[in-house]
Every structure is written in structure tokens, then in C-alpha cells.
Amino acid sequence: MSWAIEQKDYSQRRACTLIGLAPKVYRYRRRSDDGVLRTRLKVLAAQRRRFGYRRLHLLLRREGFTVNHKKLFRIYREERLVVRKRGGRKRALGARSPAAVPQGRNQRWSLDFVSDTFADGRRFRMLAIVDDFTRECLALVADTSLSGHRVARELDELIARRGRPTMVVSDNGTELTSMAILRWSQETGIAWHYIAPGKPMQNGFVESFNGRLRDELLNETIFRGLAHAREVLADWREDYNAERPHTSLDGLTPNEFARRSTSDHNQNGLQL
């Protein structure tokens, strides 16, 4: 093709006709990688999660990017940045990036719900809160209903006794993405991290605790009522923290490990 045009002085159209190729196919040039544009588009989309491609296009133009809106839309779709339609109510979004592994007490708390039944068949729920570093069960709250407001109140009471966590981790349950939790996180300044949907092991510490709770207590106990459930759960939580050896803590109980880690931290601070 190029030889016919350059050596025989054929026109582009005639050369294309001779070999049965459409001129527009010959003139086609592969698109550039657009790596810088794609990277900046993803950064802006992460910062402005409710902006569609048209608003992002305006922001990119302000920064000096020259790009056709059709091309931008293609890249926008290829990178799966489409804004999802929201439901009727506001939900807490929290952080979605991977949560850091805790290196000390109160760095990260995990929470989750567990359900069981009374002897008469009525259901009740339990809110479990765990310190991911020390493995302590910080709270085990039982009630027939546990709303987002109740979760926020229990967290406030726990903070008053123990101090503030750096982060709270949970799944995407309705109570935990409610306006009450969104407001609580904003007012306290405590980061709230949501695990990916369908990935319970991203909240592995409290999931492991729930398994022990289910196996060692719930499956072995018939609860007569709410008062009985609260009494039994309080006794079991005390035994779990103070008496039950934890294999992942080299056989120490959560309370012993917490005391040892606090002592080591204080000694290191004095040495510094």
C-alpha cells in the first residue's frame, strides 16, 4: 500500500481500491495509551464520587487536558467509573481502601451482629465489639432490636470507659450504614471502614470471635428471656477476656496480652 503510493505515485484512493481496502481504514491511527489522562480521571472520580463524566470533563479541561467528550466517555466506561444510582435514603460511605493491620490497643475496633432465639422462639440480636489487636471483647450487647442510634450510643459509652479508637470496621448492614452512624463518624472524627460486600473475612477478627461465641455459648444454651441472655453473655465475655487462653496470642488471655503490650509500650517509651 505505502509502496504503491510512494514508488508508483498512486493516489491514496486508487491504491486502496486496487487492494480492496477502505481509505478510512488505511488512515486509521491507533489511539495513544492515554495513561496520564486515565490516571487523573480515576483520581478525580475517587475524590468526586457523585460526579459524572461531564463534570469530570470540565475539571480536566481546567487542568489543561484537551480531550473530546466522546473519548472521555469511552475511557470513563472502560475504567468502570459510572456513578451508581442511589436509593431513597442517605447511607454512610466510610473508607473503602484496605484497612491497616493494627499495631496497638484501640487502633482498630471491629463490630458485627449475631442472632439467636429465646426458648419461646422469639429472636434477639447481639452486637459484638472486638479490639483487633488485643482480641478483647469490648462489648456484647443483647436486645430484641439494635438500631444505628443504639450502636452509636453503645460506642459512646465504650469510648467513655476505654478511650477512642482510630478506626471502626464493619460490614455494610443497614444499621451500620444509617444516618445515625454517618453523623456519629463525622461528629467524633473516627474513621469508619466498610469491608467489601460479600467478603466477611475482611472483618476476620470479629468473625472469628462470632464463631467461638456461637460454638461455645449460643449452641450450648437455651435462653429463657432477654434478662437471662444479658446475664449469661456478660459472664461469658468476662471469662473470654480473663480466663480463656487465645492460641493466636501464644496462649495468653486477651486481658493478659493487653497488659503485656501496654507494659512493653511503656518500657519502649522510657528507653526512647
Side-chain angles (χ1 to χ4, degrees):
M1 181 73 179
S2 299
W3 175 84
I5 294 174
E6 296 172 2
Q7 301 297 325
K8 295 295 185 179
D9 201 26
Y10 286 2
S11 68
Q12 186 182 100
R13 180 176 296 277
R14 182 183 179 190
C16 289
T17 301
L18 289 174
I19 64 173
L21 181 69
K24 64 180 181 180
V25 175
Y26 174 73
R27 291 193 295 268
Y28 176 79
R29 295 291 182 269
R30 293 183 61 86
R31 298 185 180 99
S32 62
D33 182 52
D34 297 319
V36 176
L37 174 63
R38 288 176 182 269
T39 300
R40 186 55 186 159
L41 178 61
K42 288 190 286 187
V43 170
L44 287 174
Q47 295 173 347
R48 308 278 189 171
R49 290 191 280 194
R50 303 306 300 172
F51 276 21
Y53 81 97
R54 295 183 186 277
R55 289 184 185 273
L56 294 174
H57 187 206
L58 295 174
L59 295 179
L60 288 169
R61 287 175 57 185
R62 288 181 187 174
E63 297 182 6
F65 287 93
T66 302
V67 56
N68 181 282
H69 73 278
K70 295 181 180 179
K71 177 179 179 179
L72 182 69
F73 180 66
R74 174 181 57 79
I75 297 174
Y76 181 79
R77 293 295 295 270
E78 289 174 353
E79 297 296 335
R80 298 181 180 181
L81 300 176
V82 179
V83 177
R84 293 182 179 179
K85 185 177 180 180
R86 274 189 175 155
R89 68 179 185 87
K90 188 182 295 184
R91 290 178 178 266
L93 293 176
R96 300 284 175 175
S97 56
V101 176
Q103 301 297 321
R105 179 179 181 271
N106 282 357
Q107 285 191 3
R108 191 173 77 198
W109 295 355
S110 294
L111 54 85
D112 198 9
F113 291 105
V114 186
S115 298
D116 208 340
T117 57
F118 298 126
D120 60 7
R122 291 180 299 132
R123 297 190 66 81
F124 70 101
R125 305 182 77 195
M126 290 151 280
L127 171 66
I129 306 177
V130 174
D131 186 307
D132 288 356
F133 179 71
T134 66
R135 310 298 203 277
E136 296 168 280
C137 176
L138 307 181
L140 201 50
V141 183
D143 213 325
T144 53
S145 177
L146 292 167
S147 65
H149 289 284
R150 179 67 180 280
V151 172
R153 189 166 72 247
E154 294 294 338
L155 287 170
D156 285 336
E157 293 177 2
L158 183 55
I159 288 172
R161 298 195 306 269
R162 182 181 175 87
R164 290 164 51 90
T166 303
M167 174 183 289
V168 176
V169 179
S170 77
D171 62 18
N172 298 266
T174 303
E175 301 88 349
L176 304 177
T177 57
S178 64
M179 279 291 293
I181 296 301
L182 172 62
R183 188 180 303 110
W184 182 88
S185 179
Q186 291 177 344
E187 291 176 353
T188 60
I190 295 172
W192 197 292
H193 175 85
Y194 291 103
I195 64 173
K199 303 288 185 180
M201 289 315 299
Q202 291 184 6
N203 204 11
F205 293 103
V206 75
E207 289 289 343
S208 177
F209 171 82
N210 289 346
R212 295 187 180 95
L213 174 65
R214 177 74 62 188
D215 182 58
E216 298 176 14
L217 179 67
L218 302 184
N219 290 345
E220 302 289 326
T221 308
I222 297 177
F223 298 103
R224 299 189 298 271
L226 187 57
H228 179 230
R230 287 172 173 170
E231 179 183 351
V232 171
L233 288 169
D235 291 342
W236 188 85
R237 187 177 78 88
E238 180 63 29
D239 180 77
Y240 177 87
N241 286 333
E243 302 296 336
R244 185 186 185 282
H246 207 296
T247 54
S248 65
L249 302 178
D250 294 329
L252 298 176
T253 68
N255 285 356
E256 290 172 337
F257 182 78
R259 287 193 293 270
R260 176 176 293 186
S261 62
T262 301
S263 176
D264 291 344
H265 176 77
N266 291 338
Q267 289 178 2
N268 291 337
L270 290 174
Q271 289 174 0
L272 292 175

